[in-house]
Amino acid sequence: MTGSDLMRFAVNALAQHRRRTLLSLLGVVVGVVAVVSLTALGEGARRFVTDQFASLGSDVLMAMPGRNETTGGLPFAGGVPNDLTLEDARSIERQIPDIQRSVPISASTADVSRKQRSRQALVVGSTPGFRRVRDLQMLSGSFLPIVDLERGAPIVVLGQKIARELFEETEPVGQPVRVGGSRMRVIGVLAGRGVQMGLNLDDSVVVPVATGLRLANRASLTRLLLEVRPGADMEAVKEQVIDLLDDRHGEKDVTVITQEAVMSSLSSILQVLTLVVAGIAAISLTVAGIGIMNVMLVSVSERTSEVGLLKALGATRRQILLIFLLEAVLLSLAGGVVGLATGWLAVEVGTAIYPSVPATPPMWAVWAVIGVSFGTGTLFGVLPAWRAARLDPVAALQGGH
Amino acid sequence: MIVLEDVWRTYEMGEEVLHALREVSEPIPDGEHVAIMGPSGSGKSTLLNIVGCLDSPTRGRYQLDGREVASLDSDELAEVRLHRIGFIFQSFHLVPRLTALENVALPMVFAGIPPAERRKRAEATLERVGLMPWAGHRPGELSGGQKQRVAIARATIMEPGLLLADEPTGNLDTQSGSQVLNLLDRLNGEGKTLLVVTHDPNVARRADRVLVLRDGEIVRRVEGSQVSDLATLFGET
């Protein structure tokens, strides 16, 4: 019995019971669509978050006040238990040769106003290095000039959205605004960049770090971004930074993280999420598999006399097993293919509606779906097919009547 | 050549032991036409199933063409059924979703014969039973007599030496019944051994020899000229 004979026989038998075939197909399709769209969503969320953090740059260390033993600390979310000062920033840059640039950051919120318009905004105090580290582009004007760290000049760079809301069509550069009650001159406008690391620079203003600290009424920096010389060992540099700050503060009260550590912990959390979601979806595939088994068992008992006949005509057990197994596998594979197509369509429609979430079914999920649907067909088809192959021909021939 | 020696077939149904066949010993030479008669439950079909390698004796020996059937495994039995034996059933047993031609070709599918040759042989065989015009019809569109002739074409497609028919005319009217019987006679005339299980003395009368079973035992053998007097001998069956 050749493959094409088997195929024709199986397709023929499935076509005979169109409704039953379609219903069991539907079960598989629903399961597969669930797997595809849910893993796509999980993967989309993972990419969305990791993309955000990727913008930090792989050669940047981030130091923040407060001790945190775990690597999962979220930046810009912690409190400020101990001071991380401008002096710390300066000495790191001076004393650790592998640190190319030390960028202090202070963050606070303040009202930014011009004439009658007022907006609350995130005020980021930093240095010219901030632009380099974060790869910022200017829409107009210039970024912060190189000045002494302690000099709090009354100048401000506006985020694109703030600039548009306060100035509309007018050119903001050179114009005065009030930031937290202080009068400042706008020296530049940032080009739009969207949300990065939970920080929307479009909604922020950037001022010299000393100005930022004064506005926040604090001595401690919120963050310290440390650009490491290319080729240097990140972990070793991280240890040096921790040791230096330990010396300066007399205790280990600063957390230093690498982008890699943040990314990997976030990414693994989200991957677990994707797996959990895929697991739930896989349960529905299993249910579909049981549906296939049910259909095949009914099919075998309905065709008992046919099995008896095939045996009388000289079919071997193996041939009968293959006939029924192929039917089950065809059912589940067809369900898998239709499900993949439907799931892919659902994802496409979803991303068209929510373009900000880059939902794509991961390749492993696609292969898993094909494998699992083939597997369920085989697994749940074996029992009915085996039962058919083992039927006693005499009883089977009589069974039909 | 069929040799049955002291064949028993026993079913255990709880406490009760049912002897479907007892002490059956019978040689059947090649080319013989044998009718098996007897009341319902006398073991006719059981005997046919054992000869057809669908069932096996509880005790005793069965040799087909010199081979001990009990020693064959399931694949070898399938092989014997495929090449040596053709079955014809009372209820035809055609696969309803396949056409007449496909039904006839089915054993060749199991034998792994290539499609082109299958088609040629199935058409030739259908032609011989006079059903070529119905080749593309499904069993549901055929009359009873036509269905049985398709079944006979299927039983003979692999050129088996032994044809086993279980009440071949049981579901047919007299006219299509005699067409079917003439066809079987013709095949027997071509040298095929023919075993026919029947209630009908008019069917049995065509045989060379008649075996009469009662409660699993052969109680009577009718041979030669006596066979034609069957209607009077077994008027009561």
Side-chain angles (χ1 to χ4, degrees):
Chain A
M1 209 171 182
T2 65
S4 67
D5 286 331
L6 270 174
M7 188 62 87
R8 197 162 332 127
F9 206 85
V11 169
N12 209 320
L14 288 173
Q16 191 71 13
H17 296 281
R18 218 159 271 142
R19 187 186 308 168
R20 203 163 69 189
T21 303
L22 286 177
L23 280 175
S24 51
L25 266 181
L26 188 66
V28 182
V29 169
V30 169
V32 171
V33 169
V35 171
V36 171
S37 49
L38 289 178
T39 53
L41 219 59
E43 179 73 3
R46 194 180 67 82
R47 281 201 201 171
F48 179 73
V49 173
T50 52
D51 282 356
Q52 302 277 309
F53 281 87
S55 56
L56 183 61
S58 61
D59 53 354
V60 176
L61 289 172
M62 181 154 51
M64 55 190 122
R67 189 165 174 185
N68 193 344
E69 296 289 357
T70 66
T71 53
L74 279 173
F76 292 101
V80 189
N82 283 290
D83 284 0
L84 183 64
T85 61
L86 285 173
E87 200 48 49
D88 290 335
R90 207 169 0 229
S91 49
I92 286 172
E93 198 174 54
R94 279 189 195 138
Q95 293 177 26
I96 301 173
D98 278 341
I99 299 283
Q100 228 168 14
R101 192 177 283 117
S102 165
V103 181
I105 290 173
S106 74
S108 59
T109 52
D111 285 331
V112 180
S113 58
R114 173 189 177 245
K115 295 177 181 169
Q116 255 60 54
R117 293 169 194 264
S118 178
R119 280 268 293 145
Q120 186 150 77
L122 180 70
V123 179
V124 178
S126 196
T127 61
F130 187 66
R131 184 183 172 190
R132 297 286 299 274
V133 170
R134 299 297 294 271
D135 192 25
L136 301 176
Q137 302 298 312
M138 300 306 293
L139 191 66
S140 61
S142 54
F143 198 68
L144 300 174
I146 301 169
V147 289
D148 187 46
L149 276 184
E150 273 77 12
R151 215 185 121 206
I155 49 176
V156 63
V157 176
L158 300 180
Q160 191 184 35
K161 196 172 164 206
I162 293 277
R164 200 171 49 237
E165 281 171 3
L166 292 182
F167 288 90
E168 292 180 341
E169 299 305 313
T170 2
E171 175 55 55
V173 175
Q175 299 293 314
V177 290
R178 299 190 80 83
V179 178
S182 305
R183 200 181 137 88
M184 298 189 189
R185 185 168 55 88
V186 177
I187 58 165
V189 178
L190 294 171
R193 277 206 73 176
V195 182
Q196 282 184 329
M197 301 180 57
L199 171 67
N200 191 349
L201 279 176
D202 292 353
D203 259 339
S204 313
V205 299
V206 183
V207 297
V209 64
T211 313
L213 286 172
R214 181 166 49 78
L215 284 169
N217 197 20
R218 270 204 300 237
S220 176
L221 296 169
T222 318
R223 294 288 180 268
L224 194 52
L225 296 180
L226 304 169
E227 199 181 327
V228 178
R229 203 174 297 282
D233 178 359
M234 292 294 283
E235 283 303 314
V237 177
K238 178 178 153 184
E239 288 309 313
Q240 290 175 36
V241 171
I242 291 171
D243 288 348
L244 178 66
L245 291 174
D246 187 9
D247 283 351
R248 290 180 56 81
H249 295 181
E251 58 171 324
K252 282 199 166 76
D253 61 352
V254 169
T255 303
V256 181
I257 57 172
T258 59
Q259 175 216 19
E260 209 176 330
V262 178
M263 292 257 293
S264 74
S265 62
L266 268 176
S267 175
S268 63
I269 288 167
L270 288 162
Q271 200 147 27
V272 167
L273 183 80
T274 306
L275 281 175
V276 167
V277 159
I280 293 167
I283 291 171
S284 65
L285 259 187
T286 310
V287 171
I290 293 167
I292 286 181
M293 177 156 69
N294 208 1
V295 162
M296 290 313 298
L297 282 174
V298 169
S299 183
V300 169
S301 67
E302 245 183 28
R303 281 152 67 192
T304 298
S305 79
E306 182 183 315
V307 173
L309 169 76
L310 298 185
K311 291 198 157 190
L313 293 183
T316 60
R317 279 184 186 169
R318 192 172 152 269
Q319 285 170 331
I320 289 168
L321 183 89
L322 283 177
I323 286 170
F324 283 92
L325 195 55
L326 186 64
E327 276 181 42
V329 169
L330 276 182
L331 264 183
S332 58
L333 267 188
V337 169
V338 174
L340 271 182
T342 315
W344 177 79
L345 201 70
V347 169
E348 288 292 303
V349 169
T351 46
I353 297 171
Y354 301 105
S356 60
V357 178
T360 326
M363 263 335 265
W364 62 260
V366 172
W367 289 115
V369 160
I370 293 171
V372 167
S373 57
F374 183 81
T376 39
T378 315
L379 190 71
F380 292 102
V382 159
L383 175 69
W386 182 243
R387 184 174 283 191
R390 298 284 302 195
L391 279 175
D392 168 33
V394 175
L397 275 168
Q398 287 162 352
H401 305 278
Chain B
M1 182 75 183
I2 295 167
V3 179
L4 296 161
E5 268 179 38
D6 190 25
V7 166
W8 292 66
R9 181 71 175 95
T10 310
Y11 296 99
E12 278 177 39
M13 307 176 100
E15 299 284 292
E16 254 179 277
V17 176
L18 184 80
H19 297 290
L21 288 179
R22 48 178 114 201
E23 270 194 280
V24 173
S25 295
E26 193 71 30
I28 300 171
D30 284 344
E32 198 178 22
H33 179 175
V34 177
I36 302 165
M37 293 190 75
S40 298
S42 60
K44 309 187 296 288
S45 294
T46 305
L47 181 58
L48 201 72
N49 287 333
I50 285 179
V51 171
C53 301
L54 290 177
D55 200 354
S56 44
T58 316
R59 239 173 73 189
R61 297 173 61 196
Y62 167 35
Q63 281 189 337
L64 179 62
D65 302 327
R67 288 169 89 187
E68 203 64 56
V69 172
S71 70
L72 304 179
D73 66 22
S74 113
D75 281 357
E76 287 168 328
L77 284 175
E79 174 83 13
V80 168
R81 292 196 287 257
L82 181 63
H83 290 285
R84 293 282 304 122
I85 298 166
F87 277 99
I88 296 140
F89 306 94
Q90 178 176 6
S91 52
F92 323 125
H93 276 301
L94 299 177
V95 180
R97 55 180 187 277
L98 301 181
T99 64
L101 193 75
E102 288 166 337
N103 266 289
V104 173
L106 203 49
M108 293 190 286
V109 172
F110 298 129
I113 292 168
E117 193 192 334
R118 287 203 309 245
R119 189 173 183 84
K120 216 175 72 191
R121 272 170 69 177
E123 282 174 353
T125 312
L126 263 188
E127 183 68 57
R128 270 178 39 171
V129 299
L131 286 177
M132 205 34 221
W134 283 271
H137 289 244
R138 284 175 216 286
E141 302 157 350
L142 301 176
S143 74
Q146 287 171 329
K147 282 186 215 175
Q148 197 58 301
R149 282 188 283 154
V150 171
I152 292 172
R154 183 179 64 190
T156 55
I157 192 82
M158 295 303 293
E159 301 289 343
L162 175 59
L163 288 182
L164 304 177
D166 194 349
E167 302 277 9
T169 59
N171 284 353
L172 302 178
D173 59 46
T174 321
Q175 202 201 336
S176 42
S178 66
Q179 266 185 340
V180 162
L181 291 174
N182 289 339
L183 194 53
L184 290 176
D185 279 349
R186 201 174 84 200
L187 291 163
N188 178 235
E190 290 168 10
K192 293 186 194 308
T193 312
L194 180 60
L195 257 69
V196 181
V197 163
T198 185
H199 274 104
D200 186 349
N202 290 319
V203 175
R205 195 159 49 194
R206 293 170 176 251
D208 303 324
R209 209 146 60 92
V210 179
L211 305 176
V212 182
L213 284 170
R214 196 174 300 264
D215 297 328
E217 272 182 291
I218 300 180
V219 293
R220 194 157 188 182
R221 293 177 174 81
V222 183
E223 292 179 56
S225 58
Q226 289 175 299
V227 171
S228 47
D229 298 330
L230 266 178
T232 49
L233 283 168
F234 294 99
E236 78 276 9
T237 52

